[in-house]
Amino acid sequence: MNYNYHCKDSALVKITGLIMVKDQEKNIINSIKSIYNQCDHIVVIDTGSTDNTIKVIKSHFPDVELYSVSWVENYGYMRNLCLKYVSNSWVWIVDADEQLVNKIKNQELHAFLKQLEMKYFDSDIICTTKVRNIGQKAFTRKRNLFKLSNKLKYHGFVHEELISTHSKVKIIDTNIELVNKGVELSEILKFNKRERYCKLLLKNIDAEPTNPRWIAMISPDYIEDNLISPNKYKILLKSVILKDSNKPLQLSNIRKGKYLHSLLSRYALLMMGNGNLAEALKIAKIGMKLFPYNANFLTLYMTVIMAKTQLMNKELLVTVIDSLNKYKEKMSIVDEQSQGTENLIDGKMVKLLVKTENYKEAKALLLSIDDPSYNEDLKPERELFYKVCEAKS
């Protein structure tokens, strides 16, 4: 997104910040505050808070419009209900556990949206923003800043998606970035997110069994929590990945589509969990061919290789490291929707370097990884280097 211009008519664009909230007394103030200066108007819809959420909103932001509605266990329906409280031309939907992290000037944002209106006057206009989980660098894109239209609506019981029935739709990717605190364990447990989300996803799948979006959203955690069986998960994945579910996995039998990278990643993880390393390796290789800049498939490949290292000699491991280094050099971009980052690759590289006794190189690479989400996976390697330092002192 380019903000380096001015528009005399930018004042004609009006932005409403729209927040749906329940029991977020600790996060709601920062959420509102982060977008307060960018919006002309802020509307908060409370869906049944029992803590001090409403009280803190009224005390900190008396000019915010606050409404209360009853919760219905259907996120798409609730989003559409909230839109009825918006009258301005543009709406920016921010969750109560999300917070804007980059500085954006009010005038520049308004000018940018006005320019989009003039350029795509005959289309529905949707802007995406980057949303990353707290403590992580990786992000996904969310359709949450858009010009109101009677042809736009949210769809889905959970992981709802903004869709348009307009014949012309323009989707603009921006550099606006939000951090999501809703993935913290305390938040997951407070709202029983895993079980609720899984049940709602299964409702999505029952309603639209051929929609790959819903199957791509199923997390492997749901299997661990016995919310869905591995066999059912496998059947669902094969039904949307393969052209013919009765034929083997190969490039000629792959359905190409928007969610293929996520579906293949899920399938590879499922095969690894079942101990079918040969099939997981096959999927990873196919993924690397189809999505050469997607860090997830390279990471999956490395993970499988490491699981099979007892069958490999040191020379072969060194060859693998060499190949991966060359692959990484060519990887100029990373698929944003995959949430892949170079730290994914580097984390696995550290483990391989330790196995080949390249401790100096492994330690240097380990110290360069600053994403805390990888700390647990690399805990054995950190402890190893800590013990080495202790022994030398």
Side-chain angles (χ1 to χ4, degrees), residues 235-247:
I235 292 171
L236 288 172
L237 285 167
K238 289 179 69 175
S239 72
V240 290
I241 291 175
L242 304 179
K243 294 177 182 177
D244 187 341
S245 297
N246 296 315
K247 292 183 178 179

Side-chain angles (χ1 to χ4, degrees), residues 165-317:
T165 57
H166 199 293
S167 59
K168 294 182 179 180
V169 183
K170 187 62 181 178
I171 299 176
I172 311 292
D173 291 337
T174 77
N175 288 323
I176 296 173
E177 186 174 335
L178 299 156
V179 64
N180 172 27
K181 296 183 178 180
V183 294
E184 293 179 328
L185 183 58
S186 59
E187 291 295 297
I188 292 172
L189 295 175
K190 180 169 73 173
F191 294 107
N192 191 23
K193 288 185 178 182
R194 281 188 181 176
E195 184 174 351
R196 288 175 56 219
Y197 286 8
C198 183
K199 287 180 178 179
L200 291 172
L201 266 177
L202 292 177
K203 286 184 71 173
N204 282 341
I205 292 169
D206 287 341
E208 297 179 304
T210 60
N211 188 337
R213 173 180 170 82
W214 308 135
I215 298 170
M217 292 291 178
I218 292 178
S219 167
D221 293 336
Y222 298 158
I223 294 179
E224 293 180 13
D225 294 343
N226 296 316
L227 298 173
I228 184 171
S229 72
N231 189 52
K232 181 175 182 178
Y233 190 27
K234 181 180 179 180
I235 292 171
L236 288 172
L237 285 167
K238 289 179 69 175
S239 72
V240 290
I241 291 175
L242 304 179
K243 294 177 182 177
D244 187 341
S245 297
N246 296 315
K247 292 183 178 179
L249 178 75
Q250 53 191 22
L251 278 172
S252 60
N253 193 28
I254 296 281
R255 293 177 186 265
K256 294 186 178 179
K258 180 180 177 182
Y259 302 101
L260 180 58
H261 65 280
S262 295
L263 294 165
L264 283 173
S265 295
R266 301 293 197 201
Y267 196 14
L269 289 170
L270 180 66
M271 292 298 97
M272 287 173 63
N274 292 343
N276 192 341
L277 297 182
E279 188 74 358
L281 191 62
K282 185 178 179 182
I283 298 167
K285 287 180 178 179
I286 289 175
M288 288 169 69
K289 286 182 180 179
L290 292 174
F291 306 99
Y293 300 114
N294 187 311
N296 279 343
F297 293 109
L298 180 56
T299 305
L300 286 167
Y301 174 78
M302 294 174 72
T303 303
V304 177
I305 290 294
M306 287 164 56
K308 299 177 64 154
T309 50
Q310 65 271 23
L311 304 176
M312 301 171 64
N313 58 38
K314 185 175 177 180
E315 285 185 11
L316 186 52
L317 278 173

Side-chain angles (χ1 to χ4, degrees), residues 21-26 28-29 32 44-62 64-69 96:
V21 65
K22 180 180 179 181
D23 293 338
Q24 287 289 344
E25 61 182 2
K26 293 182 179 179
I28 189 63
I29 297 304
I32 295 174
V44 176
I45 310 294
D46 185 82
T47 61
S49 292
T50 56
D51 62 2
N52 292 316
T53 295
I54 294 177
K55 183 179 178 180
V56 297
I57 292 173
K58 288 181 176 179
S59 62
H60 285 78
F61 302 101
V64 165
E65 277 194 42
L66 182 60
Y67 300 94
S68 294
V69 299

Side-chain angles (χ1 to χ4, degrees), residues 112-129:
F112 171 72
L113 298 181
K114 182 60 181 180
Q115 187 187 59
L116 293 182
E117 281 190 355
M118 293 188 295
K119 187 175 182 179
Y120 306 110
F121 63 92
D122 59 345
S123 305
D124 273 351
I125 309 170
I126 303 171
C127 293
T128 72
T129 66

Side-chain angles (χ1 to χ4, degrees), residues 81-98:
L81 179 63
C82 290
L83 286 176
K84 295 180 180 180
Y85 292 87
V86 178
S87 57
N88 285 338
S89 57
W90 283 81
V91 58
W92 186 1
I93 292 184
V94 177
D95 286 346
D97 51 17
E98 292 177 344

